[in-house]
Amino acid sequence: MANGEARNRLVGEMAKIGIRPVIDGRRGGIRESLEAVTMEMAQGVAKLLSAKLRHSNGLPVECVVADTCIGGVAEAAQAAAKFERAGVGVSITVTPSWCYPLETIDAHRAMPKAIWGFNGTERPGAVYLAAANSAHNQKGLPVFSVYGRDVQDMGDSSIPADVEEQLLRFAKAGLAVATMRGKSYLSLGSVSMGIAGCIADETFFQRYLGMRNEYVDMTEFVRRMNLGIYDPEEYERALAWTKTNCKEGRDVNPPELQRTAEQKAVDWETVVKMTLIARDLMIGNPKLAELGYGEEALGRNAIAAGFQGQRMWTDYFPNGDFMEAMLTSSFDWNGIREPYVLSTENDTLNAVTMLMGHLLTDAAQIFADVRTYWSPDAVKRVTGHTLEGAAQHGLIHLTNSGPAALDGTGLQRKDGAPAMKPFWDIAEAEASACLAATEWCPAVDFFRGGGFSTDYQTAGGMPVTMARLNLVDGLGPVLQLAEGYTAELPQDVHDVLDARTNETWPTTWFVPRLTGSGVFRDVYSVMHAWGSNHCALSYGHVGAELITLAAMLRIPVNMHNVDEARIFRPSAWKAFGTADLEGADFRACEKYGPLY
């Protein structure tokens, strides 16, 4: 299984990062003495970001440095014009000295922007940073303030570790904002079983994310299957690969409801075709033009999508579990590649949460139902087992009515521990291990059209962040998140608890990191405060990264367990209060309103 080539599969150039070296514009010795050190500072930031960041598709991140140092409004305009021509989507200003704030700041209203003011005393960039923050805040232009903890000497070209962390966090979140802008969310079907998150709120997508909404009825799958509107060569290859690598699991349905071997064979053919068709609907496929379907070849430029499935589709056709699991995984019959974002039941809000997590971590995301809180007493009563270690205070059973990305098995490795990695870091053996650990069980009785559910258990000890975006009337979008770890139970204990929900679905046992206060005082409170029946799970403790991205989009965070020292929001947020950061976040987001 070869590692896939990095490529941009969506329409539009990848956003670049613009670096703005600003300078004291006074000639006659002052500017001249600062030209070299200021430009060196800009080049150093560009080198750092280019070396340590990639786009989620694996392509390198490009930085564009202004042609000259910016000492006044004319040079600021020249830099802005260059950035527009070059496709810059994120702006970082750097300076080691005092400059004239109103003449040199970035005035673009929608572009994420940050300023690194060098912490030195000879010609203090920190003084400019403070004045420029004030100017941005007074003009309603939120800016992230990057300020090193320790004083450096003028001419020191190193980037301190704390500054590097802030620059990387800001840049990655800013690139996520720029990457979403102008792309589509594709609804494949409509609302599933009355789940409100399936409603595609166009105002939210357009005003907060800068995205458009596209809609395709599920009958388009039938049309394309019946007319053969898919690559026939890829279909044969995909079907053969599936038969070799996707082992069929146990059928738990009563005998009278079990499908015959012939029916299951047809189901496999159908779900493989569905996978090809969903991908083609999202991003297009030039092969379709060769078959005479030029319109279909174009796709919908969808960076994320969702499949309604239940019940109109699944009452008659095989469910979408295989399609959703394989597309959201980092590998398939074409090798190892960037995962797609495709949500179960067309939950648009969970799709956005998955998209945010993917753009920040570059890795696959787990779509899950937030099913059950198992207290230690309940586990003891049902199984006789006493929870220990990380799970001693109870667990949250994350599962899904069928699919989840196969990366979620946790059988990729980072420093020897379970992980979900960017596709370019995944070894063939790791992808094969994820496949081998997954069974495809014939769908249970309420999937009347058949299909196959994704059955696996996530390895324990993996750091993860559980997140969910919700829409609340009168408030708008809010994000909630919980950092924690996956847990493993003895197999016999797992089997008893799992069978009480559905033993053919994937399971991730999640333990949030408790803080002793608020909703994180215990595991029950985390479960009880969750705002939906769904969540997305990202690898790593990326709550701080999600908080930074949410602030850029003006989405408040109503629940998190991130240490206060890791929170990085625009400078203006402090003006809305420093004692109650959650309240200040709400007030700032309400005041500034959606980004677009």
Side-chain angles (χ1 to χ4, degrees):
M1 189 183 298
N3 217 314
E5 179 185 0
R7 68 184 183 94
N8 180 14
R9 61 195 182 198
L10 296 166
V11 179
E13 296 297 318
M14 301 305 301
K16 299 179 178 66
I17 301 174
I19 311 295
R20 306 175 70 254
V22 299
I23 198 168
D24 189 327
R26 290 173 288 187
R27 306 276 179 171
I30 297 178
R31 174 166 181 155
E32 291 84 351
S33 69
L34 294 167
E35 289 276 7
V37 68
T38 304
M39 189 57 74
E40 183 181 19
M41 190 176 177
Q43 295 290 354
V45 171
K47 183 178 179 181
L48 167 73
L49 299 179
S50 298
K52 296 211 169 185
L53 294 179
R54 290 200 205 188
H55 294 286
S56 62
N57 58 23
L59 291 172
V61 169
E62 297 182 49
C63 293
V64 178
V65 180
D67 291 332
T68 67
C69 291
I70 300 168
V73 67
E75 289 164 321
Q78 290 167 2
K82 178 180 182 178
F83 288 177
E84 185 173 2
R85 293 191 301 269
V88 165
V90 184
S91 164
I92 298 178
T93 297
V94 301
T95 185
S97 69
W98 165 257
C99 315
Y100 297 167
L102 290 176
E103 298 180 22
T104 57
I105 62 173
D106 176 3
H108 195 295
R109 299 204 69 84
M111 186 179 299
K113 51 183 66 65
I115 302 172
W116 174 26
F118 185 80
N119 188 2
T121 56
E122 292 91 341
R123 289 192 180 276
V127 176
Y128 169 77
L129 176 62
N133 283 338
S134 175
H136 276 279
N137 297 345
Q138 192 167 335
K139 285 181 165 291
L141 299 169
V143 63
F144 286 78
S145 175
V146 179
Y147 180 50
R149 179 174 293 273
D150 298 316
V151 172
Q152 294 178 260
D153 300 327
M154 180 64 76
D156 181 355
S157 59
S158 67
I159 301 178
D162 59 337
V163 170
E164 177 179 320
E165 180 183 0
Q166 294 174 68
L167 289 171
L168 290 171
R169 183 175 299 164
F170 165 80
K172 192 62 176 174
L175 287 170
V177 171
T179 300
M180 288 187 281
R181 187 184 303 132
K183 306 303 190 303
S184 302
Y185 178 83
L186 174 60
S187 292
L188 299 167
S190 183
V191 174
S192 173
M193 301 186 297
I195 298 173
C198 306
I199 300 169
D201 189 304
E202 293 209 359
T203 299
F204 164 69
F205 275 95
Q206 293 170 16
R207 298 192 64 200
Y208 282 89
L209 307 180
M211 292 173 59
R212 68 169 66 211
N213 292 84
E214 290 289 305
Y215 305 88
V216 173
D217 192 271
M218 289 184 293
T219 56
E220 179 65 3
F221 283 84
V222 181
R223 185 180 79 94
R224 294 196 183 203
M225 286 191 288
N226 289 346
L227 298 180
I229 308 177
Y230 51 84
D231 182 348
E233 294 180 0
E234 184 182 6
Y235 165 67
E236 294 297 336
R237 186 173 73 252
L239 184 61
W241 180 92
T242 299
K243 289 179 178 179
T244 300
N245 293 282
C246 299
K247 58 185 178 185
E248 193 170 308
R250 61 200 181 283
D251 192 336
V252 301
N253 292 296
E256 66 273 14
L257 293 179
Q258 291 183 8
R259 297 168 72 81
T260 66
E262 291 76 14
Q263 287 175 314
K264 291 176 183 176
V266 174
D267 289 348
W268 277 115
E269 294 173 357
T270 301
V271 297
V272 170
K273 290 175 184 177
M274 289 168 62
T275 306
L276 298 179
I277 290 168
R279 182 204 61 196
D280 292 350
L281 284 164
M282 289 181 70
I283 66 168
N285 186 345
K287 289 287 186 180
L288 302 186
E290 298 175 13
L291 298 174
Y293 297 99
E295 180 182 357
E296 291 85 347
L298 297 175
R300 302 292 178 129
N301 200 33
I303 195 171
F307 180 70
Q308 175 194 334
Q310 298 188 69
R311 284 183 46 219
M312 292 73 170
W313 180 269
T314 56
D315 278 359
Y316 188 65
F317 288 103
N319 62 24
D321 293 6
F322 179 83
M323 168 185 68
E324 293 160 10
M326 288 312 308
L327 286 176
T328 57
S329 298
S330 299
F331 43 83
D332 59 18
W333 43 86
N334 291 320
I336 299 171
R337 45 91 180 132
E338 181 188 8
Y340 294 83
V341 174
L342 180 65
S343 73
T344 301
E345 296 162 345
N346 191 33
D347 185 340
T348 66
L349 299 179
N350 219 50
V352 171
T353 312
M354 294 169 69
L355 178 59
M356 293 167 69
H358 173 57
L359 293 176
L360 290 174
T361 67
D362 303 320
Q365 307 292 298
I366 298 175
F367 184 111
D369 282 2
V370 185
R371 280 274 166 169
T372 312
Y373 163 66
W374 278 100
S375 69
D377 289 343
V379 173
K380 181 75 171 179
R381 178 182 63 81
V382 171
T383 69
H385 176 72
T386 300
L387 293 177
E388 299 174 340
Q392 63 181 309
H393 301 299
L395 316 101
I396 296 177
H397 189 185
L398 301 180
T399 184
N400 191 19
S401 51
L406 273 57
D407 303 59
T409 57
L411 293 182
Q412 298 162 24
R413 288 292 181 266
K414 185 174 182 180
D415 300 326
M420 296 192 292
K421 301 191 294 189
F423 76 89
W424 57 82
D425 284 338
I426 299 173
E428 292 184 29
E430 292 175 319
S432 297
C434 294
L435 280 162
T438 305
E439 291 186 347
W440 301 91
C441 298
V444 292
D445 52 2
F446 53 76
F447 290 121
R448 299 171 185 171
F452 302 93
S453 296
T454 319
D455 184 22
Y456 64 71
Q457 300 172 43
T458 300
M462 186 163 62
V464 290
T465 302
M466 172 182 167
R468 168 71 185 189
L469 181 75
N470 297 297
L471 285 179
V472 179
D473 183 49
L475 177 62
V478 290
L479 180 70
Q480 56 183 169
L481 60 94
E483 295 182 339
Y485 292 88
T486 60
E488 283 188 53
L489 297 176
Q491 190 63 48
D492 58 336
V493 177
H494 164 85
D495 290 343
V496 171
L497 301 183
D498 199 37
R500 291 174 67 103
T501 298
N502 189 299
E503 57 192 306
T504 71
W505 295 343
T507 283
T508 302
W509 295 108
F510 174 70
V511 180
R513 189 180 69 246
L514 301 178
T515 65
S517 63
V519 296
F520 289 95
R521 61 186 176 273
D522 53 41
V523 180
Y524 167 81
S525 299
V526 174
M527 172 77 180
H528 195 49
W530 206 250
S532 171
N533 58 312
H534 291 156
C535 74
L537 216 60
S538 301
Y539 172 74
H541 289 159
V542 295
E545 288 76 5
L546 283 164
I547 288 171
T548 293
L549 174 56
M552 289 181 180
L553 298 170
R554 321 289 199 260
I555 297 173
V557 179
N558 71 310
M559 168 181 164
H560 72 82
N561 57 347
V562 178
D563 186 84
E564 185 176 311
R566 295 175 58 213
I567 295 176
F568 189 37
R569 290 183 172 121
S571 167
W573 265 237
K574 296 182 180 68
F576 291 86
T578 56
D580 173 16
L581 297 187
E582 183 174 297
D585 183 35
F586 273 82
R587 291 187 290 273
C589 289
E590 180 182 21
K591 175 63 178 177
Y592 285 106
L595 185 58
Y596 306 103

